[in-house]
Amino acid sequence: HAADFPLRAVGYLSHKKKAPSAEPFYELVGMDVFRTERRVDRIFERVEFPKDLPKVPHAEVPALLVFNLQFPGGPQSIVPDGDGPGASVVLYFRISNQTLDLLHRRAHHEQLAGGDEEASHVAPALNLLAEWCQRAPEDPKFRGRFKCMGFIEEIEKYGIPPIAASYNGKPVLIKKTGTLYRGDNFIEMDVNIHRFTYLCRISLIA
């Protein structure tokens, strides 16, 4: 659940406090796994996306976010080569009805969520999402603000090395390993895990 993830609260730079996440702006609606001989980019050219995506009342915010996580396979060298056999794990996220409602309110210049506590928590995050969607395709530095955060419950059951397990639930910035594509009502982010550090790679594919 989104609330399980502690995120930086408004004013974090001054008070250093985190707070539970609000409800997610997008919902996971599908997942594909493809074995590949080489890294496969631009999944949107190979998979047919849904045709019934909603119209979003914001020019930059897409109805569909696609994440193509390119995992390496087999023995790993200490120095990454950036390509090779492995698998693409593709996640499809559709914008939620709640997010559409918030964007409609924003578009009509209404006071977001009535000015209550939810509004103060959601509004900055929604503004940041819109700004990222607008600037990230053309601005590599701004695109590099994108973070991934994974969490494995009862991680001790899976024999993951303690040094790797210590990063469970910690955010990871996707900078040079991320490539972004914008299309008709979607954004795809390809994450080249082949280029991650040796420790990250062997931990993720263990």
Side-chain angles (χ1 to χ4, degrees), residues 186-206:
F186 76 87
I187 285 179
E188 175 182 332
M189 170 72 91
D190 292 352
V191 181
N192 185 0
I193 298 172
H194 294 262
R195 293 182 60 191
F196 280 23
T197 64
Y198 177 72
L199 178 60
C200 288
R201 282 180 281 122
I202 62 173
S203 298
L204 287 170
I205 68 175

Side-chain angles (χ1 to χ4, degrees), residues 50-97:
K51 301 295 186 183
D52 58 345
L53 294 173
K55 183 177 181 180
V56 181
H58 191 290
E60 305 296 340
V61 178
L64 191 70
L65 286 177
V66 181
F67 296 98
N68 175 20
L69 309 178
Q70 301 163 330
F71 286 86
Q76 297 296 300
S77 61
I78 293 178
V79 179
D81 60 12
D83 205 346
S88 275
V89 177
V90 187
L91 307 173
Y92 308 92
F93 292 87
R94 181 189 183 278
I95 195 167
S96 71
N97 290 332

Side-chain angles (χ1 to χ4, degrees), residues 38-186:
R38 308 291 296 179
R39 197 182 77 248
V40 175
D41 299 327
R42 305 168 72 93
I43 285 294
F44 67 89
E45 295 181 342
R46 301 168 181 267
V47 174
E48 184 175 349
F49 293 160
K51 301 295 186 183
D52 58 345
L53 294 173
K55 183 177 181 180
V56 181
H58 191 290
E60 305 296 340
V61 178
L64 191 70
L65 286 177
V66 181
F67 296 98
N68 175 20
L69 309 178
Q70 301 163 330
F71 286 86
Q76 297 296 300
S77 61
I78 293 178
V79 179
D81 60 12
D83 205 346
S88 275
V89 177
V90 187
L91 307 173
Y92 308 92
F93 292 87
R94 181 189 183 278
I95 195 167
S96 71
N97 290 332
Q98 180 184 13
T99 307
L100 287 171
D101 182 56
L102 291 172
L103 287 170
H104 276 294
R105 296 185 192 187
R106 170 179 165 145
H108 289 88
H109 306 287
E110 296 179 0
Q111 186 176 7
L112 189 63
D116 59 13
E117 183 178 351
E118 180 185 4
S120 64
H121 190 66
V122 171
L126 188 61
N127 291 336
L128 183 58
L129 170 68
E131 185 180 10
W132 187 85
C133 291
Q134 177 183 5
R135 296 177 57 182
E138 305 298 333
D139 185 344
K141 187 174 181 179
F142 200 84
R143 182 166 65 245
R145 296 185 182 187
F146 183 85
K147 291 181 180 179
C148 285
M149 184 186 297
F151 180 74
I152 302 174
E153 293 184 345
E154 300 180 340
I155 193 172
E156 63 278 358
K157 289 184 176 181
Y158 303 102
I160 295 175
I163 190 171
S166 66
Y167 289 94
N168 193 31
K170 301 290 180 64
V172 177
L173 281 170
I174 304 300
K175 294 184 177 181
K176 295 181 180 179
T177 56
T179 304
L180 189 143
Y181 306 97
R182 177 187 287 280
D184 183 17
N185 215 10
F186 76 87

